[in-house]
Amino acid sequence: MNTATLQQVTALAAVIQAATLVEQLARSGDIPAAEAEPLLQALFIQSPDRFEDVYGDASTRLASGLNNLQTIFGQPGRGISPDVTRYALSLLHLERKLRQNPDMLAELGRGIQTAARQSEHFGVSHENTIAALADLYKQTLSNLSFRIHVTGNPSFLQNPHTANRVRALLLAGIRAAILWRQAGGRRWHLLFKRSSCLKASELLQQQREA
């Protein structure tokens, strides 16, 4: 298995994990912190020395993303909400729109630097950090012509803290989509490289950090 495919699948698993957590938040109002933290931390790793520095051990830190990737590619429509697939594809599409807007990309970079200082002070999952990331998403990506429509339980979605976490995770999903593209990922791979993506995800699940 070549390195490029493993990197693409790692980033795609992160996209799917973000989409999964957004769906869970919208439906139940709660998510496992251990699944959200690797995605949020990756936002603040802008110039890694190695690809592996962004998410670390994918077999544990991106476990739900890898599992759902296998469900989507191996058994479409079984055991997973269609909203997860919709959000994941929407994140990939939104990343494409973002690439066409260099000014917004630069604004995002500056905003993430500001949020990083809050993360250093409060922690990556603190409500102040989440609020800063959510506001950054709202001031930038929410203004593109394509917007991600999140559906779920209105009582949760109307809660400001839950809404902030949804936007922060969508921003983390965009970070993963950018990484997927940088690693050579293309939309046509989702149709014509399903088998190799499945094999790569299984290999990643078997790996453990030394």
Side-chain angles (χ1 to χ4, degrees):
M1 181 64 61
N2 64 64
T3 300
T5 299
L6 290 171
Q7 291 179 349
Q8 291 164 24
V9 169
T10 298
L12 188 58
V15 172
I16 293 172
Q17 187 154 309
T20 301
L21 293 175
V22 166
E23 188 274 339
Q24 289 178 4
L25 265 177
R27 176 173 46 82
S28 69
D30 194 25
I31 53 172
E35 294 182 16
E37 284 184 3
L39 304 177
L40 297 172
Q41 288 167 350
L43 280 166
F44 305 121
I45 304 173
Q46 294 296 306
S47 300
D49 294 328
R50 304 177 307 150
F51 179 92
E52 292 75 17
D53 293 339
V54 180
Y55 294 110
D57 179 16
S59 67
T60 55
R61 293 167 66 82
L62 298 177
S64 68
L66 288 169
N67 286 334
N68 284 344
L69 183 152
Q70 291 175 16
T71 300
I72 291 169
F73 280 6
Q75 297 176 317
R78 293 183 58 186
I80 189 171
S81 167
D83 281 340
V84 172
T85 304
R86 178 170 65 85
Y87 296 151
L89 291 174
S90 295
L91 284 166
L92 297 180
H93 184 68
L94 193 59
E95 182 273 339
R96 184 179 180 182
K97 292 285 188 183
L98 176 61
R99 279 189 291 116
Q100 299 167 355
N101 192 326
D103 290 341
M104 185 174 290
L105 266 171
E107 185 178 353
L108 275 170
R110 292 190 295 270
I112 286 172
Q113 288 179 352
T114 299
R117 291 192 286 272
Q118 290 180 295
S119 174
E120 290 170 2
H121 184 70
F122 296 108
V124 70
S125 298
H126 191 275
E127 61 182 83
N128 288 4
T129 305
I130 297 298
L133 293 172
D135 187 61
L136 179 60
Y137 182 93
K138 191 173 182 180
Q139 297 301 320
T140 55
L141 291 157
S142 286
N143 294 317
L144 290 174
S145 58
F146 177 82
R147 299 179 66 179
I148 299 176
H149 181 56
V150 176
T151 57
N153 188 321
S155 65
F156 296 129
L157 291 173
Q158 291 169 8
N159 179 290
H161 182 53
T162 301
N164 281 346
R165 287 196 289 172
V166 165
R167 291 190 179 102
L169 285 167
L170 289 175
L171 186 59
I174 290 294
R175 167 67 172 121
I178 290 172
L179 197 64
W180 176 73
R181 173 72 61 170
Q182 290 173 338
R186 299 295 181 266
R187 286 179 67 90
W188 63 267
H189 292 174
L190 306 180
L191 291 176
F192 300 110
K193 292 185 67 176
R194 298 169 75 96
S195 178
S196 61
C197 285
L198 276 171
K199 290 178 182 177
S201 67
E202 291 167 356
L203 183 60
L204 287 166
Q205 281 187 319
Q206 296 166 5
Q207 293 178 348
R208 292 290 185 274
E209 286 186 325

